[in-house]
Amino acid sequence: MSFNKSVLICDPVDPILHKILKAGGLNITYNPTITNDELVEVIKDFNIVVIRSRTKLTKNLIEKTDKCIIIARVGVGLDNIDLKAAYQKNIKVINSAESAATAVAELVLCLLLTLSRQIIKANDGIKNNKWLKKELVGSELKGKYLGIIGLGNVGKRLSRLARGLNMNIIGYDINPIDETYSREIGLIKTDLNTLLKSSDYVSLHIPLIDSTYHLIDKNELDMMKETAILINTSRGGIVDEESLYHALKNGDIAGAALDVFEKEPALETKLIDLQNVILTPHIGAQTREAQSLAANVIAEKIIYHLKTTS
Ligand code: NAD
């Protein structure tokens, strides 16, 4: 089956996406550095618009579409698309929900281990001619309580990996949590406040929506143990970075790792000045495997949608 449709790819994506769409007869324009101003001019010419996280499809941009039938997000979060505007224009919005789960969950484990064993300090020490053996007494993950907020694709994947390290898993989700899964993990289900008070590590895996904006602010940070570590690989804006800065500076919590920030790129954040924080540039889904899987899933979903609606 061949589809006579035009596709604009606005962000860098794995080449497998082109391959599958080309095989479906689609006419592809690849412009991974397109600016907002350029997009305003050309968006009306395309039937399908593909983005990752760089491009923001605002209300204004979506209103400029003329023949667009699909907006495809190669990745998970849809917070860079004005969904209401897309809905009003009758545009189908698709994403690749499960493709990044392993990549993000493995990054969280990497951050937990790096913080628990003070790897950054150890490495910096040697590179600065200091043998910090005595100073670097770490802690083990085995037997510790990992609080996971949001037990969707990433949260569940993380819990399974952490069980492999003999951690205890405390979980909180606003939606019901599947019983079979809970038994498999030995999940301790609880409310948000109890999770915050009881966990040695807290990891966030929820979407950024109005109700989760600054879900973790001073109040929640105050509930956490002084020895606790906070990890956010979900979305910037869920953690109030100003409150986090003060909590880390005052020793209200022991450490944090952030892969996502309210403003990205976060090259000016004052968290940079703190020793007990690790900052990564939104690399949660940046593995070859996750990118290829996401591109594959999106290409197949586009073809499927065209087949079932033409
Ligand atoms: P998901 O939709 O599978 O799971 C989200 C879970 O959060 C759901 O179970 C939902 O019920 C729950 N939830 C929603 N609001 C909640 C609230 N207020 N309190 C508690 N639970 C709540 O999503 P996912 O694929 O697991 O992704 C989780 C997050 O990770 C998303 O924000 C996504 O954008 C982000 N993400 C980041 C990267 C990265 O590069 N760092 C990559 C992929 C995904």
Side-chain angles (χ1 to χ4, degrees):
M1 213 167 181
S2 183
F3 304 100
N4 184 23
K5 299 278 184 230
S6 54
V7 183
L8 173 63
I9 302 178
C10 301
D11 292 328
V13 292
D14 190 282
I16 189 76
L17 184 78
H18 303 223
K19 214 173 153 189
I20 300 175
L21 295 184
K22 242 188 180 155
L26 291 151
N27 182 11
I28 301 164
T29 303
Y30 184 58
N31 189 347
T33 54
I34 193 165
T35 63
N36 191 62
D37 291 346
E38 289 164 345
L39 199 49
V40 169
E41 296 301 318
V42 301
I43 200 164
K44 62 181 183 328
D45 301 328
F46 292 91
N47 303 112
I48 299 166
V49 179
V50 179
I51 60 166
R52 277 187 63 200
S53 51
R54 189 192 67 94
T55 301
K56 314 282 175 232
L57 289 182
T58 57
K59 183 167 186 272
N60 179 42
L61 269 171
I62 292 174
E63 280 172 352
K64 295 270 183 316
T65 60
D66 187 27
K67 47 186 177 180
C68 184
I69 50 170
I70 302 176
I71 291 174
R73 158 86 166 95
V74 185
V76 181
L78 295 174
D79 41 287
N80 55 334
I81 302 168
D82 191 315
L83 294 174
K84 208 165 152 195
Y87 178 75
Q88 275 163 359
K89 280 253 172 181
N90 211 13
I91 299 171
K92 171 99 176 155
V93 177
I94 57 175
N95 68 349
S96 50
E98 289 178 38
S99 53
T102 296
V104 180
E106 288 185 4
L107 176 67
V108 175
L109 276 192
C110 165
L111 295 169
L112 288 182
L113 288 162
T114 303
L115 279 161
S116 300
R117 300 303 296 270
Q118 304 182 66
I119 299 298
I120 306 253
K121 203 169 167 187
N123 175 66
D124 288 351
I126 292 194
K127 289 185 177 171
N128 288 296
N129 204 30
K130 285 184 194 144
W131 193 254
L132 299 172
K133 179 170 171 141
K134 274 200 307 295
E135 294 85 341
L136 294 178
V137 178
S139 56
E140 297 176 9
L141 299 186
K142 183 182 171 193
K144 299 290 185 325
Y145 286 80
L146 169 63
I148 302 182
I149 303 176
L151 285 154
N153 292 311
V154 180
K156 281 201 175 107
R157 182 77 189 128
L158 172 63
S159 67
R160 291 188 165 108
L161 295 179
R163 282 300 295 147
L165 296 173
N166 297 113
M167 297 188 85
N168 301 301
I169 314 297
I170 307 177
Y172 164 66
D173 198 295
I174 42 161
N175 288 311
I177 302 169
D178 172 57
E179 276 307 322
T180 313
Y181 157 77
S182 297
R183 272 198 299 278
E184 172 204 329
I185 294 298
L187 184 74
I188 305 163
K189 279 189 235 180
T190 184
D191 57 274
L192 180 60
N193 291 357
T194 311
L195 181 149
L196 291 168
K197 285 176 194 160
S198 328
S199 301
D200 300 302
Y201 301 89
V202 173
S203 193
L204 292 158
H205 300 289
I206 54 179
L208 175 63
I209 45 177
D210 288 349
S211 60
T212 59
Y213 181 74
H214 287 191
L215 181 79
I216 305 297
D217 66 11
K218 184 177 182 324
N219 194 29
E220 283 68 32
L221 291 162
D222 281 348
M223 287 183 212
M224 291 174 64
K225 297 182 186 179
E226 282 184 10
T227 50
I229 282 172
L230 177 72
I231 312 279
N232 187 16
T233 59
S234 60
R235 276 292 177 265
I238 293 174
V239 176
D240 173 18
E241 288 167 28
E242 184 67 26
S243 301
L244 178 63
Y245 173 82
H246 291 292
L248 288 166
K249 204 169 162 53
N250 301 338
D252 300 335
I253 66 169
L258 301 184
D259 183 49
V260 288
F261 303 85
E262 197 158 341
K263 283 202 189 96
E264 295 182 4
L267 298 171
E268 309 276 299
T269 171
K270 59 184 182 184
L271 290 162
I272 288 170
D273 300 333
L274 302 176
Q275 288 293 317
N276 48 351
V277 67
I278 296 180
L279 310 173
T280 53
H282 204 145
I283 55 168
Q286 291 283 87
T287 65
R288 278 182 287 280
E289 294 84 352
Q291 290 309 314
S292 161
L293 182 61
N296 230 306
V297 166
I298 284 299
E300 297 293 354
K301 280 190 181 178
I302 290 173
I303 299 290
Y304 177 80
H305 184 74
L306 294 175
K307 264 187 196 160
T308 51
T309 53
S310 59

